[in-house]
């Protein structure tokens, strides 16, 4: 019996698009970084939440980042570049010649209405799936991001304190020494 261990560092993330076709979606992903980092290829991005997108393989959830990084360059390409690319892919959907999801790419090209409906369904499902616990939760990674449905008894006090803090912040006098609309230091009068 041959046993091969492939060690990786796993980062967990969630994207909450605020505008565009995926607005109000909640999409979990994992970033898999090879143990030989930085002497290796680009990291892998795997969506745990099903995502209808030309760059995301519908079977594996893996997002193709080769579109943005045709060549991963040690010392130039960074992890934050990957996360930025993933985030931007929700707003600026590429029309790539080598899509991972052929149906999504074809609909994006030929039938925007159907594509938008698929995205809408994807967003609705993501809002339901975010509360699901992973399978085999007894072996769950302690860094996995878990969400609970809002419960006034549990979350209400904290929520009210945030709103109170925000209200107090809005009442706070602006103490800047820069006149509004200017970049010149000490341009604001004392009155």
């Amino acid at each position: 019996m041959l046993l091969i261990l492939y060690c990786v560092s796993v980062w967990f993330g969630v994207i909450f698009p605020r505008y565009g076709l995926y607005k109000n979606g909640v999409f979990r992903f994992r970033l898999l970084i090879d143990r030989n980092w930085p002497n290796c290829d680009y990291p892998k991005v795997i969506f745990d939440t099903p995502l209808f997108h030309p760059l995301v393989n519908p079977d594996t959830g893996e997002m193709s980042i080769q579109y943005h990084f045709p060549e991963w360059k040690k010392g130039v390409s960074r992890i934050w570049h990957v996360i930025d690319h993933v985030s931007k892919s929700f707003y600026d959907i590429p029309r790539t010649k080598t899509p991972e999801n052929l149906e999504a790419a074809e609909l994006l090209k030929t039938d925007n209405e159907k594509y938008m409906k698929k995205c809408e369904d994807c967003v609705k499902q993501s809002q339901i799936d975010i509360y699901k616990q992973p399978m085999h939760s007894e072996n769950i990674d302690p860094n996995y991001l878990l969400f609970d449905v809002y419960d006034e008894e549990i979350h209400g006090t904290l929520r009210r304190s945030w709103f109170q803090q925000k209200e107090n912040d809005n009442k706070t006098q602006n103490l800047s020494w820069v006149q509004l609309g200017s970049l010149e230091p000490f341009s604001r009068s004392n009155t």
Side-chain angles (χ1 to χ4, degrees), residues 46-103:
I46 311 287
F47 276 89
D48 295 322
T49 306
L51 176 59
F52 187 76
H53 193 287
L55 294 180
V56 177
N57 183 303
D59 298 320
T60 65
E62 184 172 353
M63 177 178 257
S64 171
I65 62 171
Q66 293 90 336
Y67 173 79
H68 189 70
F69 301 99
E71 180 184 351
W72 186 259
K73 298 177 184 169
K74 177 184 170 185
V76 175
S77 304
R78 308 271 189 239
I79 299 287
W80 73 265
H81 290 130
V82 173
I83 295 169
D84 187 55
H85 164 67
V86 169
S87 179
K88 287 179 180 175
S89 295
F90 282 87
Y91 306 111
D92 184 19
I93 302 163
R95 297 177 188 264
T96 178
K97 292 179 182 173
T98 56
E100 291 294 317
N101 185 328
L102 297 174
E103 178 189 11

Side-chain angles (χ1 to χ4, degrees), residues 122-142:
C122 176
V123 166
K124 286 178 184 174
Q125 190 61 48
S126 78
Q127 293 169 344
I128 294 167
D129 289 349
I130 196 63
Y131 300 112
K132 288 183 178 175
Q133 300 293 320
M135 292 173 50
H136 311 294
S137 57
E138 65 276 355
N139 296 328
I140 189 170
D141 186 305

Side-chain angles (χ1 to χ4, degrees), residues 143-158:
N143 299 304
Y144 189 79
L145 301 170
L146 298 172
F147 293 86
D148 288 328
V149 176
Y150 180 79
D151 180 337
E152 179 63 30
E153 286 186 33
I154 297 171
H155 308 107
T157 304
L158 182 59

